[in-house]
Amino acid sequence: MAAKSMRFLRDLENLKDKKVFLRLDLNVPMKDGKILDDTRIREALPTINYLLEQGCRLLIGSHLGRPKGNSEEDKKKYSLEPVAQDLVEKLKKEVVLIDSPDSDAPRGLLAEGRMDKILLLENLRFCKGEEANDNSLAQKWAKCVDVYVNDAYGSCHRAHASIDALPRAMRVKAAGFLIEKEVEVLSKIRNAPETPFALILGGSKVSDKIGVIENMINKIDILAVGGAMAYTFLKAQGVPVGASRVESDKVAYAKELLKRFSAREKTVLLPIDHVIVKSLDTPKGFQTTKEEAIPEGWMGVDIGPQSRELFAKELARAKTIFWNGPMGVYEIPPFNEGSFALAKTIAESTAFSVIGGGDSAAAAVESGYSEKMDHISTGGGASLEYMEGKTLPGLDALEH
Ligand code: ADP
Ligand code: MG
């Protein structure tokens, strides 16, 4: 049997007049019916425009947030209506929002054959079958269309009907431009990163990142740890960490991991100084330590200036860098400075650089250096699971 493979948009032929179910990630941050950041909509445009240029009739589906049920309040709060309006402005086309994604309406509207309007299904999570990966819901959608295209990378780790059951029911299917880029870049890093390969981890929890470390361990030349994660590692080395956030049940793991790295003569970088506060409620009272120990009653909230320099010096020899997890509580300035300094280091390095993780991507963008990085994954949880070596249901379902 031939190896399974994924098809991309440009592999699809004869798209003229074809009815296409396009799964997008239009899950934009919203407040009181206003879109706060339209990045995800803008990023979806190349795939939408390509399909329109090919003469396709589009039925677009996306989720938005996490509606709990079907209450009128939820239906208003999680409606894709503002997204529909934004699409009208961006595409200069009529967009018809279909209230019930599991109704027969799309079938009729698609059959009408009018090319000048785009159909957008309401929040897919309004139907019970979506999160349950329900086959009959998938069949219903499959019967409306000829082709399935998925460009919702950030949802590919979820086995939901529009991501998993639907493409499995379709013969003609492909990945859109966003997924194509993610798979190209992340598979290169996961399978054969050019060495020396540096993995930089930060963020809140060691337990979130163990999978990535374990899957990549034989390829890592430099492991740099910042963020709250670092305190579990420092504690494992017997360094006083004050009131910093520590995962007590992961200290033994951290100790073991440090041993494994030193046995393999690989570099592990931990912070050697810290920005500390007594409480996050009083950020203005912060101090900077001169050493790795943190005094009692204080908690580490960012890597200090010496650590930033150390990381920069050691990362200079990396040929590939993957960064996941901010170096500090970047939401509260000035505790974003460690992450910004790291972003600058990565931007200035000649290494192939990839940022994965929602908060790390946000920190990289806020730093102003994101344009100089090779790839910022839009995946969040999906990119982490990919780097853990897991099979993502949404990608698997696209394979032939
Ligand atoms: P990503 O979304 O990039 O995968 P995470 O979700 O793992 O990153 O971690 C981001 C969170 O980690 C942020 O909310 C940040 O405030 C928190 N964080 C980073 N450093 C610390 C720290 N020293 N103490 C407490 N929280 C931290
Ligand atoms: Mg996060």
Side-chain angles (χ1 to χ4, degrees):
M1 213 174 88
K4 290 210 292 181
S5 71
M6 192 186 293
R7 287 208 277 170
F8 299 104
L9 273 187
R10 270 181 280 263
D11 301 326
L12 297 179
E13 287 167 353
N14 305 325
L15 282 173
K16 188 154 172 39
D17 287 331
K18 291 287 188 310
K19 294 172 242 168
V20 180
F21 188 107
L22 173 60
R23 177 56 160 99
L24 294 174
D25 181 357
L26 302 175
N27 181 25
V28 287
M30 206 131 44
K31 190 154 193 254
D32 303 328
K34 288 234 156 40
I35 297 171
L36 299 178
D37 176 2
D38 69 347
T39 307
R40 286 187 169 153
I41 304 177
R42 280 188 286 109
E43 286 179 337
L45 294 179
T47 291
I48 299 177
N49 282 324
Y50 179 85
L51 290 167
L52 290 174
E53 280 156 23
Q54 300 297 309
C56 299
R57 277 177 260 166
L58 292 186
L59 175 63
I60 298 177
S62 172
H63 72 283
L64 179 82
R66 293 167 186 235
K68 278 176 211 79
N70 245 337
S71 68
E72 282 311 308
E73 198 193 335
D74 263 16
K75 284 208 147 159
K76 200 155 172 249
K77 188 168 171 201
Y78 296 105
S79 170
L80 280 169
E81 174 69 45
V83 174
Q85 279 175 20
D86 194 65
L87 281 172
V88 170
E89 275 166 41
K90 289 187 162 69
L91 296 166
K92 305 273 177 280
K93 277 198 179 292
E94 190 185 336
V95 175
V96 179
L97 185 65
I98 300 176
D99 281 341
S100 328
D102 51 357
S103 71
D104 289 319
R107 196 156 189 195
L109 286 165
L110 279 166
E112 255 179 41
R114 277 186 54 193
M115 288 279 311
D116 52 343
K117 59 182 173 195
I118 293 168
L119 308 180
L120 173 66
L121 295 172
E122 246 307 359
N123 192 344
L124 299 180
R125 291 190 183 168
F126 287 166
C127 344
K128 261 215 206 117
E130 167 65 358
E131 288 176 82
N133 204 17
D134 181 59
N135 243 326
S136 53
L137 178 61
Q139 287 296 341
K140 191 162 214 174
W141 288 330
K143 283 197 185 110
C144 301
V145 293
D146 312 300
V147 178
Y148 172 86
V149 174
N150 186 355
D151 213 15
Y153 183 72
S155 302
C156 282
H157 58 317
R158 311 242 184 251
H160 292 173
S162 65
I163 295 286
D164 187 41
L166 172 58
R168 289 188 202 282
M170 297 287 302
R171 199 175 52 79
V172 186
K173 50 195 171 185
F177 294 130
L178 288 174
I179 292 192
E180 180 174 11
K181 179 84 198 290
E182 295 279 0
V183 169
E184 181 199 342
V185 168
L186 292 176
S187 66
K188 187 167 147 190
I189 292 221
R190 185 173 80 172
N191 303 325
E194 197 183 337
T195 58
F197 170 56
L199 179 65
I200 310 168
L201 294 177
S204 43
K205 285 168 60 209
V206 179
S207 44
D208 286 350
K209 320 278 155 127
I210 288 177
V212 177
I213 303 177
E214 289 300 330
N215 189 48
M216 299 303 293
I217 198 149
N218 291 324
K219 301 190 176 88
I220 301 169
D221 299 295
I222 304 166
L223 175 69
V225 182
M229 263 188 90
Y231 308 113
T232 301
F233 280 86
L234 288 172
K235 179 144 195 184
Q237 289 188 329
V239 176
V241 294
S244 302
R245 198 198 281 193
V246 167
E247 272 172 281
S248 311
D249 61 338
K250 292 292 172 293
V251 174
Y253 171 79
K255 203 169 190 168
E256 191 58 34
L257 192 72
L258 291 170
K259 259 197 227 150
R260 281 155 76 191
F261 269 89
S262 73
R264 292 173 57 240
E265 294 180 6
K266 300 294 179 187
T267 308
V268 177
L269 303 171
L270 295 176
I272 50 174
D273 61 346
H274 316 271
V275 178
I276 55 173
V277 293
K278 284 214 155 138
S279 154
L280 276 173
D281 298 331
T282 51
K284 287 208 175 79
F286 75 87
Q287 291 194 10
T288 305
T289 68
K290 297 251 174 321
E291 46 169 30
E292 55 182 359
I294 295 177
E296 201 138 325
W298 292 76
M299 61 186 281
V301 287
D302 197 7
I303 59 171
Q306 297 178 66
S307 310
R308 297 167 204 171
E309 245 176 69
L310 170 75
F311 285 18
K313 194 172 127 247
E314 293 284 333
L315 290 169
R317 66 186 166 91
K319 289 264 167 52
T320 308
I321 295 176
F322 182 76
W323 173 25
N324 172 275
M327 296 290 101
V329 185
Y330 78 103
E331 298 95 331
I332 309 176
F335 313 139
N336 51 10
E337 285 178 6
S339 300
F340 286 8
L342 178 63
K344 180 168 187 276
T345 295
I346 296 175
E348 286 170 355
S349 122
T350 54
F352 182 68
S353 53
V354 179
I355 322 298
D359 290 291
S360 338
V365 169
E366 282 165 29
S367 76
Y369 292 105
S370 59
E371 297 290 319
K372 295 221 172 76
M373 308 190 178
D374 289 288
H375 182 63
I376 303 211
S377 174
T378 54
S383 13
L384 265 197
E385 288 196 18
Y386 189 89
M387 293 300 286
E388 286 170 16
K390 288 190 183 150
T391 302
L392 308 191
L395 298 185
D396 194 53
L398 284 176
E399 307 234 325
H400 287 79

